[in-house]
Amino acid sequence: MHRFCNIFLALLFAVISAVTSCPPSDRAALLAFKAALHEPHLGIFDSWKGTDCCHNWHGVSCDAESHRVADINLRGESQDPIFQRAHTTGFMTGFISPRICKLARLSGLTIADWKGITGEIPKCITTLSFLRILDLVGNKISGEIPADIGKLQRLTVLNIADNQISGRIPASLTRLSSLMHLDLRNNKISGPLPRKFGQLRMLSRALLSGNQISGPIPESISQIYRLADLDLSTNNLSGVIPLSLGKMAVLTTLNLDCNKISGTIPTTLLTSSVTYLNLSQNVLEGKIPDAFGSRSYFTVIDLAYNKLSGPIPKTLTTATYIGHLDLSYNHLCGRIPTGPPFDHLEASSFTHNDCLCGKPLKAC
C-alpha cells in the first residue's frame, strides 16, 4: 500500500509539473535565443537549465494560466544581486535570434544595456501580436526599424535608444495606437518624421534626439493631446515651429535645439503649458514675443545661438518663475530689464549680442 501511494504521488507530481511547466517549444526557443548570445562574466544564463523554463530561469516569466513564456527581462544595469556581487555592469555580445518569435504569447522583451549585442531587430518580431514592451536600449543593434512595426497593436513601449539603427521611421509606426513611450534617441535614423505622426494619440513621451532626422516638424504632432515630453533636438529639422505646438494641453518639455529651424518664435509657446523650452542653436529670427505674465513659469528658457533681434521683453519680470535663461549669441539690443529673474542671472546669459547693456553686463 505504501509503495502504491509513492507511485501515485510521483505520477501526480509529474502531471502537475507538466501542466505548470512551459511548453517544450517555448523552452527550445529560449535555448536558441541563449545560444546566439555570449555573456562570460556574470552567469546570466546559468539558471537556464532543466525542463521548466517558467520557474527559476533568470529574467523569464510565464503567464499564470497558459504557462507560456510572457516576459523576458534581461538588463545589463540593474539592482539585481547578481550585479551587486560582481561589482560591475553587464557586457554581452551576439545577436537576437529570430527564434525569439516562436514565443507566440510574449508580451515583454527587454534586452537592455548590454553594450555589445549587434545584428538587427528580427523582422519577425512584428508577428508577436501580444507584445506590449520592446526595450533594446543600450546595445549596438543596427539595421532598420521593421517596416511593418505597426502590426504590434498592443505595443505601449518602444525603446531602441543608444544603438546604431539607421534608415527612416516607417510610416506604419504611426499605427501603433496603444504606444505611450517612444524612445529612438542616439541612433542614425534619417529622413522625415512621418506626416501622420499625430495618429499616436496615446503617446506621452516622444524622444528622438541625436539622429539625422530632416524636414519639417509635422503639424499633426499637436493632435497628440497626452504628449508631455517632446525631444527632437540634435537632428537636421528645418522649417518653422508649428503654432499649434503652443496649444497642446499637457506639453511641459520641448527640446528643439541643435537643428536648422527658422522663422520666429510663436507667441503661443510662451503662454502655453511648456515649462522647459530649449530652442537654442537654430536660425530663429525676429523679436522675442513680449508675452510673459503672472502665469509664466519656466525652469529653462534657452534661446542662445540664434538670430533673434530687438530688446529683451520687459514682461519677463512679471513671470512667476524663470529658473535658467540663456539669450547669448543673438542680435539683441537695449537695456537688460531689472528685477527678477535678471537679478540672479550671470553675464554669460547675455554675452555676444549686438548692443545689450546694464547689469550683469556693462552699464548703458
Side-chain angles (χ1 to χ4, degrees):
M1 181 70 178
H2 181 71
R3 183 184 177 193
F4 173 77
C5 286
N6 285 343
I7 294 172
F8 174 77
L9 289 173
L11 288 171
L12 182 62
F13 179 77
V15 170
I16 292 172
S17 297
V19 170
T20 59
S21 299
C22 68
S25 58
D26 280 13
R27 177 178 177 273
L30 285 173
L31 291 177
F33 165 76
K34 169 189 170 184
L37 297 168
H38 180 60
E39 192 287 298
H41 304 300
L42 298 171
I44 290 293
F45 295 116
D46 287 355
S47 62
W48 286 32
K49 52 191 175 184
T51 58
D52 185 10
C53 60
C54 283
H55 300 91
N56 301 318
W57 281 39
H58 178 82
V60 178
S61 303
C62 294
D63 180 75
E65 295 183 2
S66 68
H67 308 295
R68 301 292 304 273
V69 172
D71 188 69
I72 299 174
N73 190 345
L74 298 173
R75 293 188 178 275
E77 298 177 2
S78 76
Q79 299 301 313
D80 192 283
I82 199 169
F83 295 97
Q84 295 178 355
R85 288 193 298 268
H87 302 291
T88 184
T89 56
F91 183 79
M92 190 184 298
T93 57
F95 64 95
I96 301 172
S97 170
R99 290 289 296 277
I100 202 78
C101 303
K102 297 294 184 182
L103 301 172
R105 300 287 296 193
L106 196 65
S107 64
L109 178 59
T110 299
I111 310 167
D113 297 315
W114 291 103
K115 305 173 188 72
I117 296 176
T118 57
E120 300 187 359
I121 302 171
K123 290 182 172 56
C124 61
I125 208 90
T126 61
T127 65
L128 296 174
S129 59
F130 289 89
L131 199 64
R132 295 180 183 275
I133 297 173
L134 180 59
D135 187 350
L136 306 177
V137 62
N139 291 291
K140 291 184 179 177
I141 297 170
S142 58
E144 300 185 4
I145 301 170
D148 53 354
I149 190 83
K151 288 182 178 179
L152 299 175
Q153 288 296 295
R154 289 184 171 91
L155 199 68
T156 60
V157 174
L158 176 58
N159 186 353
I160 54 174
D162 301 323
N163 278 286
Q164 298 175 6
I165 305 293
S166 59
R168 297 186 170 210
I169 299 173
S172 76
L173 186 140
T174 63
R175 295 200 291 272
L176 295 173
S177 56
S178 300
L179 195 66
M180 293 187 283
H181 181 96
L182 175 65
D183 195 344
L184 309 180
R185 288 176 293 181
N186 302 325
N187 279 286
K188 299 177 181 178
I189 296 168
S190 58
L193 290 167
R195 186 171 56 86
K196 296 182 179 180
F197 200 87
Q199 290 182 343
L200 299 170
R201 298 298 172 85
M202 299 298 290
L203 202 62
S204 62
R205 300 190 78 198
L207 311 175
L208 293 87
S209 63
N211 283 286
Q212 300 160 21
I213 300 169
S214 58
I217 301 170
E219 185 86 30
S220 67
I221 286 182
S222 60
Q223 298 169 10
I224 310 175
Y225 66 93
R226 296 173 182 263
L227 191 63
D229 188 351
L230 177 61
D231 188 352
L232 301 175
S233 61
T234 317
N235 279 289
N236 293 317
L237 293 169
S238 57
V240 301
I241 301 171
L243 294 175
S244 54
L245 285 189
K247 300 178 181 179
M248 298 178 69
V250 298
L251 185 67
T252 56
T253 301
L254 180 60
N255 285 298
L256 301 179
D257 49 298
C258 301
N259 280 288
K260 300 174 182 176
I261 297 170
S262 58
T264 59
I265 299 172
T267 301
T268 53
L269 273 188
L270 304 181
T271 58
S272 67
S273 59
V274 174
T275 60
Y276 188 108
L277 179 64
N278 192 343
L279 305 179
S280 64
Q281 298 188 59
N282 281 288
V283 286
L284 294 167
E285 56 189 5
K287 294 183 178 181
I288 302 171
D290 198 5
F292 298 90
S294 60
R295 298 179 63 183
S296 300
Y297 186 102
F298 289 90
T299 57
V300 170
I301 300 178
D302 193 342
L303 307 179
Y305 290 92
N306 278 288
K307 297 182 177 181
L308 299 170
S309 58
I312 296 174
K314 291 182 179 179
T315 54
L316 266 169
T317 60
T318 67
T320 298
Y321 179 75
I322 305 286
H324 172 80
L325 176 67
D326 194 345
L327 304 177
S328 62
Y329 291 89
N330 279 287
H331 299 293
L332 301 174
C333 197
R335 183 186 295 273
I336 297 173
T338 57
F342 300 97
D343 50 10
H344 74 262
L345 297 173
E346 297 182 0
S348 58
S349 294
F350 307 102
T351 57
H352 295 91
N353 275 284
D354 286 2
C355 49
L356 285 179
C357 61
K359 290 184 178 181
L361 299 181
K362 64 181 181 180
C364 294

